Amino acid sequence: MTSVVQRLRPVLPDLREAPAAFLRAHAERLSRVTPWRVGRELLAVLALLALDVFPGWIAGDWQPSGWTVVVVGSGYVALYLARLLFPAVALLVGTWVAFSAEHGGVALIIMLSYAAGYRIGPWQRALLTAVLSLALHMIAWDVSTPGLSGPFGSWVMLTIYGMLVALPFLVGRYAAQRNALVAALQEREERMVRERRMVSRQVRLRERNRIAQDMHDSLGHRLSLISVHAGALALDAGLGDKQREAVHVLRTAALTAMEELRGVIGVLRRDEEPDEDQVRRTVDSIDELVDGARRAGVRVSLVRGGQAVPLPAKVSHAAYRIAQEGLTNANKHAPGASVQVTVKYEPDALVVEVRNNPPRAKPLEGAGFGLIGLGERVRLAGGMLHVGELPTGGFRIAAVLPYEDTAAADDEPFDEQPPEPVKPTGIRKWAGVGSILLAGVVVTVVVAGYTWLGAQPFTKVVSDELYDSVSVGQSEAEVMAMLPGGAEPPLGDLKTDSEPEPAGATCHYRVADRQTYSSKATRIVRFCFADGKLVEKNTHLQGK
């Protein structure tokens, strides 16, 4: 079997498991029914009965009464509700019911067509349902519609099918595809939010680990100095026994603190990450960081202001990390742009700012996890971080850091804002467009066809009064002046029992004003002239 045939082949369910799966799926759907849905269904049923059954506002001349209303109404409601379980079967049955007899059914067939387009999933099954519905419509049209044969009758038949079946079917399919697309995008956005929160939490934890490593290095260095100085002091011959014992206790406590620090914090060190010397990564080392960026080709300037103030270790290191992250981001996302680093000692806080001009080239895409870690470090230092674009098109990273060793306001930061909704790309962007384009084609063809038909010279009808006023023997000119103008009707085949035209006579045909639709044929009047006079007037039936 070729790939094309396989793609066109309808997807058939497993016959052994299909009933159980069908019942489970619809039982689950029934459990999710809301009062609003029940009210909507009741409103649709009332509209169906009012439009098609009683009083039947769009049912035409068919006006049922008594038990006919009850039977027809019950059947219509049953078909309408059957669309919830069997949309294809309901559409096929509704097509035959609505078009095979002279009664209402326009609202029913529109509702069933929309439901079939909305609920039938595979496009192969939808196409098969539409083709079968067209076939049933053609058969019902041939059985029930009188007097419309030939090209004009075929055009009217296809027009009715297009407007009452194909158009609602395509609109329903478009709505289903768009709803499925919206649901998929919402699910994707929720998944992206969850994933971003997980990654952000991992980045924060990693930054906390790095801060813990920094504290391990700093405290380990100071405890080592205490231990060394205590050991040297213990060798002083001028100390007494009490002083020597106190120094020994001090040295032992320092060594014990170092061991405990290694056991508690040292396990956080990652082997794959290089050791960092916190002594070298302070606010005073920003000058060295800027010089290194200049040697790498970055156009960067450093501005310092205010009177320097002694800073806690984590505040000083946070200032260094702000400058480091700002230069890294500027080099990555705005290559070739000039960068300015500002370190300013305000009266109550340290302000560190890195801003860059708009990039010369297209910036690279990035996840921004470095800024998440930087925000965590600044928060734990008791400061505030601001990140955003400048009105001129550049980018700015600025932080306000306290001079004191201030703890964070809370242990856990606020949740990250969810990312902006992702716009659909590729084929998802065009989901459902094919259905709505086909619906537009149907409407365009129908409107264009009727516009063309309206421009054609169709015949006028002959009333009973006019027919009775014409008598055999009148002159041809007098009778033709009385007959309405226009083209003759498409005759097709007259009834086999119709008399042939008189020999040597010229006959003109018109449509009778009074029609009897129960005869399943169209009444045609014929006027035949010979030698300038009316020699025959008669009525014939066209069609079955």
Side-chain angles (χ1 to χ4, degrees), residues 388-522:
E389 295 184 359
L390 296 172
T392 57
F395 198 78
R396 174 175 178 263
I397 300 176
V400 179
L401 299 170
Y403 289 143
E404 297 82 10
D405 191 356
T406 306
D410 53 358
D411 186 52
E412 288 292 337
F414 293 106
D415 290 337
E416 291 290 327
Q417 293 294 328
E420 293 294 330
V422 180
K423 294 183 178 180
T425 57
I427 193 171
R428 299 189 308 274
K429 184 178 180 181
W430 304 102
V433 176
S435 299
I436 207 66
L437 285 179
L438 287 177
V441 170
V442 170
V443 174
T444 302
V445 171
V446 170
V447 172
Y450 274 107
T451 302
W452 178 80
L453 290 175
Q456 303 306 308
F458 289 107
T459 183
K460 301 291 184 62
V461 297
V462 175
S463 64
D464 292 342
E465 293 79 6
L466 177 60
Y467 182 80
D468 295 336
S469 65
V470 176
S471 59
V472 176
Q474 284 184 275
S475 65
E476 180 178 358
E478 184 181 354
V479 173
M480 292 301 298
M482 297 171 62
L483 295 180
E488 292 189 350
L491 295 178
D493 295 328
L494 296 179
K495 296 281 289 184
T496 56
D497 57 353
S498 300
E499 298 180 0
E501 295 181 357
T506 302
C507 297
H508 297 271
Y509 295 85
R510 295 292 188 273
V511 177
D513 184 25
R514 183 171 57 87
Q515 299 289 333
T516 305
Y517 287 99
S518 60
S519 63
K520 310 298 181 184
T522 303

Side-chain angles (χ1 to χ4, degrees), residues 5 47 94 139 146 149 166 183 185 208 221 268 276 278 321 330 353 373 379 405 464-465 472 475 506 516:
V5 175
I139 297 174
S149 61
L185 288 179
R208 291 185 181 186
H221 176 70
L268 299 176
E276 296 179 293
Q278 182 169 349
R321 284 297 307 278
E353 180 187 63
R379 190 188 70 85
D405 191 356
D464 292 342
E465 293 79 6
V472 176
S475 65
T506 302
T516 305

